[in-house]
């Protein structure tokens, strides 16, 4: 190629470049064209324009992009002073943007922004530089953030520990944190968690209370409540654990229902076991077991064999494999035991003792571990009772024949014969009952003459002899209670007579007030239902009047002694009213007249003296004895006995 061609191409390229530069200088770009600009060829004015457009967004990226676009201009460029002013302004705005990022919860972006600010373009003022200010601010941000994170973590920890009130109390500390993000967004987040956990905990607590009742309906309702907890809840792991426990509880209830032979109830319980309990395999196996076991309830050998076939479908790696094998072994044994019981019942149907004994021996081979053991024991008990009845009934029949003679010897023979039936035998209770009846009749025949003799002695007046004779009938004998009743009546009569004798002995010293009081007390011990009570009341009335007479005589010489003696008169006697009237009269005589002090008048005529009031004899009051009617003896007719008057003898 010739040099002329090279010169032509060079001049064309220079012209094109110049034209492009001119167009870039004279044409104002649109904001939407800035992202498509090829910056290595962009003019300074275009860079400044796009930088200002980016900075107007007032974002971290926009401000940094603005600084980057214009900071590459040479120091001697005509636009450099304006660019430096903008960079200073944008750097200051970046300091505010960093603070806003921190307040919005973007700590890392805020710290990154603070580090990238071109502090060398910012002047220091009043001895403080922007870079040092932002370093202190960054440290404050970090401390504030650490404090807020700790508060939040402590509140979450209290939530996990189910301390709701404490969690809410800690969360309120976020309101004092110098950060808008923690005061609002995070505080609302943790407060919402507290409220949600409180509500969820209430649901779980109600579920637990229901499950603790233990009945099927309550546990199923507990499952429903626990399953309602959302997987997003902080207490979802707790709810999931509760569901696992309730599932196990329902499995246990299903087993109980099956033991009670309630197939429908068992299947209903299994249907309510939640999937969260992770018991799907167990539920499936137990359904098979329940249906198989229900077939064995008929007792048919064919049904038991069918049940065994069903359980053999449960594989060795299944949860209930061991249980299924245990049931298979048991049911295989049941088949053999059913044959034994059928053979035993066929033998017992003959009814004779040897056949019954053979039936008992056959049924005894059924082991206690077999479910039909109780049935076998019931059959054995019934057949044993039949054997014993056949063996012992002749003994009881002979005893009844002996007792028909109704003599002591006959009753003794009947008792001896019936006593041959040993304890634990089928007719033992019946024999004991008949023996009790015969013993009573035997004792009556033996003791009736003794009681008749005692009553004969009592009728003749020999009460002591009657009591001694009746005491020969010992406790436990047929007539013991009747004898004791008679003895009590006779002893009461003896005690009454003794009390009256003692009272009259005291009253022999007729004018001794102490002796009279003792006599009255002794006579009053005679029972009210005794035939001697009337005599005792007469004596008490006489001795009470005598006490009053003694008091009247003592009043002539000693009023105090008279009052003391009159006070001894019993309140339930006729003489009591007269004695009290005398006491009041004598008491008034002993009271001194109180002097009246008045100023001495100049002249006072003598006052007339009142005439003394006549002493009135009180009327006698009706008798108030402890028992029976007291004889009415007027006070004016009180018999005055000589000091050594003889008392009446019984």
């Amino acid at each position: 190629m010739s040099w002329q061609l090279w010169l032509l191409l060079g001049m064309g390229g220079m012209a094109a470049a110049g034209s492009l530069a001119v167009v870039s200088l004279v044409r104002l770009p649109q904001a939407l064209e800035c992202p498509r600009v090829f910056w290595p060829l962009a003019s300074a004015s275009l860079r400044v324009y796009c930088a200002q457009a980016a900075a107007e967004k007032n974002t971290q990226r926009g401000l940094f992009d603005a600084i980057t676009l214009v900071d590459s201009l040479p120091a001697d460029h005509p636009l450099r002073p304006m660019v430096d002013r903008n960079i200073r302004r944008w750097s200051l705005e970046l300091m505010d943007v960093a603070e806003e990022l921190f307040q919005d919860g973007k700590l890392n972006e805020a710290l990154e922004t603070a580090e990238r600010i071109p502090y060398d373009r910012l002047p220091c003022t009043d001895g403080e530089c922007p870079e040092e200010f932002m370093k202190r601010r960054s440290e404050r941000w970090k401390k504030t953030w650490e404090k807020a994170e700790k508060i939040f973590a402590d509140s979450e920890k209290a939530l996990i520990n189910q301390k709701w009130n404490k969690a809410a109390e800690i969360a309120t500390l976020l309101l004092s944190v110098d950060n808008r993000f923690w005061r609002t967004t995070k505080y609302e987040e943790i407060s919402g968690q507290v409220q949600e956990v409180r509500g969820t905990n209430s649901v779980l607590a109600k579920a637990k209370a229901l499950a603790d009742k233990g009945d099927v309906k309550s546990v199923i309702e507990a499952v429903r409540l626990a399953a309602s907890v959302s997987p997003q809840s902080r207490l979802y792991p707790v709810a999931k654990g509760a569901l696992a426990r309730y599932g196990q509880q329902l499995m246990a209830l299903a087993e109980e229902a099956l033991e009670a032979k309630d197939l429908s109830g068992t299947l209903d319980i299994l249907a309510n076991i939640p999937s969260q309990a992770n018991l799907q395999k167990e539920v499936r196996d137990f359904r098979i077991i329940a249906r198989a076991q229900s077939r064995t309830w008929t007792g048919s050998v064919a049904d038991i064999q069918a049940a065994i076939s069903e359980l053999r479908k449960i594989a060795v790696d299944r949860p209930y494999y061991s249980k299924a094998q245990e049931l298979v072994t048991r049911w295989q044994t049941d088949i053999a035991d059913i044959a034994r019981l059928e053979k035993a019942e066929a033998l017992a149907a003959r009814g004779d003792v040897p056949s019954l004994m053979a039936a008992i021996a056959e049924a005894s081979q059924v082991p206690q571990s077999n479910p039909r053991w109780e049935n076998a024991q019931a059959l054995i008990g019934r057949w044993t009772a039949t054997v014993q009845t056949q063996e012992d009934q002749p003994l009881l029949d002979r005893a009844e024949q002996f007792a028909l003679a109704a003599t002591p010897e006959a009753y003794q023979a009947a008792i001896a014969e019936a006593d041959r039936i040993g304890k634990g035998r089928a007719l033992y209770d019946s024999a004991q009952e008949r023996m009790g009846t015969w013993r009573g009749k035997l004792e009556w025949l033996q003791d009736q003459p003794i009681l008749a003799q005692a009553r004969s002695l009592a009728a003749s007046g020999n009460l002591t002899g009657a009591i001694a004779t009746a005491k020969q009938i010992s406790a436990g004998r047929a007539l013991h209670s009747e004898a004791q009743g008679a003895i009590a009546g006779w002893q009461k009569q003896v005690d009454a007579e003794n009390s009256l004798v003692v009272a009259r002995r005291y009253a022999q010293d007729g004018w001794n007030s102490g002796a009279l009081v003792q006599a009255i007390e002794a006579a009053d011990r005679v029972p009210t239902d005794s035939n001697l009570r009337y005599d005792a009341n007469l004596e008490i009335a006489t001795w009470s009047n005598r006490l009053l007479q003694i008091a009247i005589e003592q009043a002539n010489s000693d009023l105090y002694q008279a009052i003391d003696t009159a006070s001894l008169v019993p309140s339930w006697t006729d003489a009591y009213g007269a004695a009290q009237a005398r006491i009041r009269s004598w008491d008034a005589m002993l009271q001194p007249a109180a002097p009246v002090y008045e100023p001495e008048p100049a002249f006072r005529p003598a006052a007339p003296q009142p005439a003394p009031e006549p002493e009135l004899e009180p009327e006698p009051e009706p008798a108030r004895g402890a028992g029976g009617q007291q004889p009415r003896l007027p006070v004016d007719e009180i018999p005055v006995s000589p000091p050594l008057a003889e008392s009446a003898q019984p």
Side-chain angles (χ1 to χ4, degrees):
M1 183 179 293
S2 65
W3 63 269
Q4 292 90 350
L5 179 60
W6 283 110
L7 179 62
L8 181 60
L9 291 173
M11 291 178 64
M14 292 174 58
S19 300
L20 179 62
V22 171
V23 171
S24 299
L25 287 173
V26 300
R27 180 174 175 267
L28 291 176
Q30 298 297 321
L32 292 177
E33 295 176 354
C34 288
R36 298 196 297 268
V37 173
F38 182 66
W39 294 114
L41 298 179
S43 66
S45 60
L46 179 59
R47 286 176 176 271
V48 170
Y49 175 80
C50 288
Q52 289 176 340
E56 286 177 358
K57 299 177 181 177
N58 200 30
T59 62
Q60 176 204 43
R61 180 177 177 179
L63 291 170
F64 277 123
D65 287 348
I67 293 172
T68 302
L69 281 174
V70 298
D71 197 30
S72 62
L73 292 179
D76 58 351
H77 194 282
L79 296 178
R80 190 68 203 191
M82 181 188 69
V83 167
D84 289 339
R85 288 194 302 273
N86 285 336
I87 290 175
R88 284 195 297 273
R89 177 164 57 84
W90 296 336
S91 298
L92 291 174
E93 290 178 359
L94 279 171
M95 292 172 64
D96 293 337
V97 167
E99 177 67 26
E100 283 300 311
L101 288 171
F102 167 72
Q103 292 295 335
D104 290 341
K106 301 174 182 178
L107 175 64
N108 292 332
E109 292 185 35
L111 293 174
E112 180 187 357
T113 301
E115 290 178 0
R116 290 177 57 192
I117 294 174
Y119 296 107
D120 57 331
R121 306 302 178 86
L122 296 173
C124 298
T125 58
D126 297 331
E128 182 177 25
C129 296
E131 185 175 7
E132 296 174 354
F133 173 78
M134 288 303 292
K135 284 181 179 179
R136 290 197 304 274
R137 177 180 280 185
S138 297
E139 290 300 319
R140 175 175 60 82
W141 291 344
K142 293 176 182 178
K143 291 179 180 179
T144 301
W145 204 268
E146 290 175 359
K147 175 184 176 182
E149 285 181 331
K150 185 178 185 306
I151 293 172
F152 196 88
D154 289 345
S155 182
E156 284 187 318
K157 183 178 179 180
L159 271 181
I160 294 172
N161 294 331
Q162 300 185 9
K163 298 178 180 178
W164 327 126
N165 293 334
K166 185 177 180 180
E169 180 182 352
I170 294 173
T172 57
L173 298 176
L174 291 175
L175 297 174
S176 62
V177 173
D178 186 19
N179 182 273
R180 182 173 61 248
F181 171 73
W182 286 100
R183 288 196 309 270
T184 57
T185 304
K186 297 300 285 184
Y187 172 73
E188 291 172 0
E189 177 185 338
I190 193 67
S191 296
Q193 290 181 14
V194 170
Q195 294 299 323
E196 185 274 329
V197 168
R198 271 181 173 170
T200 303
N201 182 71
S202 176
V203 171
L204 292 178
K206 185 177 180 181
K208 183 179 182 302
L210 287 167
D212 288 344
K213 292 182 178 180
D215 61 280
V216 174
K217 184 178 179 182
S218 298
V219 179
I220 290 175
E221 180 63 17
V223 167
R224 187 189 66 78
L225 289 174
S228 67
V229 177
S230 170
Q232 285 72 40
S233 172
R234 299 186 69 86
L235 291 184
Y236 181 71
V238 178
K240 193 173 181 181
L243 285 170
R245 292 194 304 274
Y246 302 157
Q248 293 289 352
Q249 193 171 358
L250 286 174
M251 286 295 296
L253 290 170
E255 292 180 1
E256 291 179 6
L258 188 59
E259 287 296 325
K261 297 186 177 181
D262 181 6
L263 177 62
S264 176
T266 301
L267 297 178
D268 286 344
I269 294 171
L270 294 175
N272 283 281
I273 295 177
S275 59
Q276 295 91 331
N278 295 323
L279 296 172
Q280 288 85 350
K281 292 182 178 180
E282 288 82 353
V283 170
R284 179 188 172 193
D285 288 355
F286 200 77
R287 281 199 181 97
I288 296 173
I289 289 175
R291 291 192 174 96
Q293 192 162 345
S294 67
R295 300 192 68 171
T296 67
W297 296 340
T298 63
S300 166
V301 173
D303 286 337
I304 295 175
Q305 290 174 340
I308 291 173
S309 299
E310 285 294 321
L311 291 194
R312 283 177 174 162
K313 295 178 182 178
I314 298 178
V316 67
D317 60 339
R318 300 295 295 180
Y320 273 86
Y321 174 77
S322 297
K323 176 70 173 177
Q325 292 305 305
E326 177 187 340
L327 291 173
V328 166
T329 302
R330 183 200 301 177
W331 294 342
Q332 287 173 338
T333 305
D334 285 353
I335 293 174
D337 292 334
I338 290 171
R340 288 193 181 95
L341 288 178
E342 290 176 351
K343 180 180 178 181
E345 289 178 334
L347 289 169
R350 300 175 184 175
D352 58 280
V353 171
S355 297
L356 288 168
M357 295 300 294
I360 291 171
E362 191 69 29
S364 297
Q365 297 182 46
V366 177
Q368 188 171 357
S369 59
N370 192 297
R372 287 167 179 77
W373 181 80
E374 292 184 359
N375 182 34
Q377 292 300 306
L379 292 173
I380 290 171
R382 186 166 76 244
W383 297 335
T384 301
T386 302
V387 170
Q388 293 174 355
T389 299
Q390 291 184 19
E391 293 174 343
D392 295 341
Q393 188 62 48
L395 296 175
L396 194 56
D397 291 342
R398 278 197 299 273
E400 292 280 4
Q401 289 298 319
F402 291 151
L404 291 176
T407 63
E409 296 77 15
Y411 289 134
Q412 288 173 345
I415 291 170
E417 188 70 12
D419 198 33
R420 294 173 60 187
I421 300 175
K423 188 174 184 179
R425 304 280 291 179
L427 294 180
Y428 176 78
D429 291 340
S430 179
Q432 291 297 310
E433 181 182 353
R434 299 302 299 143
M435 288 165 62
T437 302
W438 297 331
R439 284 195 185 97
K441 293 181 178 181
L442 174 61
E443 291 168 359
W444 191 91
L445 291 175
Q446 292 171 338
D447 295 342
Q448 180 60 32
I450 298 174
L451 187 57
Q453 182 185 1
R455 285 176 173 150
S456 177
L457 291 171
S460 65
N462 187 359
L463 298 177
T464 303
I467 291 172
T469 301
K471 283 184 177 180
Q472 296 177 23
I473 302 175
S474 59
R477 304 280 292 180
L479 293 178
H480 177 72
S481 297
E482 186 177 347
Q484 289 298 307
I487 290 171
W490 298 332
Q491 188 63 51
K492 185 183 293 185
Q493 184 69 12
V494 170
D495 292 342
E497 291 177 356
N498 291 338
S499 295
L500 200 53
V501 169
V502 170
R504 286 168 175 164
R505 188 179 298 121
Y506 282 132
Q508 287 179 358
D509 190 2
W511 295 96
N512 184 322
S513 59
L516 289 173
V517 170
Q518 288 180 305
I520 292 171
E521 291 175 350
D524 195 40
R525 287 196 289 271
V526 175
T528 57
D529 58 349
S530 173
N531 56 5
L532 293 178
R533 183 65 200 193
Y534 181 76
D535 294 340
N537 287 340
L538 289 176
E539 298 287 15
I540 290 170
T542 299
W543 298 331
S544 299
N545 288 327
R546 191 176 298 171
L547 279 174
L548 179 58
Q549 185 61 34
I550 292 171
I552 292 172
E553 292 181 2
Q554 289 173 342
N556 295 328
S557 58
D558 189 345
L559 289 178
Y560 290 105
Q561 187 177 9
I563 291 172
D564 290 342
T565 301
S567 298
L568 298 175
V569 176
S571 61
W572 39 270
T573 61
D574 285 340
Y576 177 75
Q580 291 298 310
R582 292 283 185 174
I583 290 171
R584 288 193 296 272
S585 175
W586 296 334
D587 209 21
M589 295 172 64
L590 291 172
Q591 297 297 326
V596 179
Y597 297 95
E598 296 181 357
E600 190 70 24
F603 172 77
R604 183 176 62 187
Q609 298 294 326
E613 296 182 359
E615 185 175 341
L616 301 177
E617 289 288 338
E619 295 183 0
E621 297 181 0
R624 292 177 291 175
Q629 292 292 330
Q630 297 276 13
R632 299 182 177 274
L633 299 178
V635 177
D636 295 340
E637 298 178 6
I638 296 175
V640 180
S641 303
L644 299 177
E646 295 183 358
S647 60
Q649 297 299 322

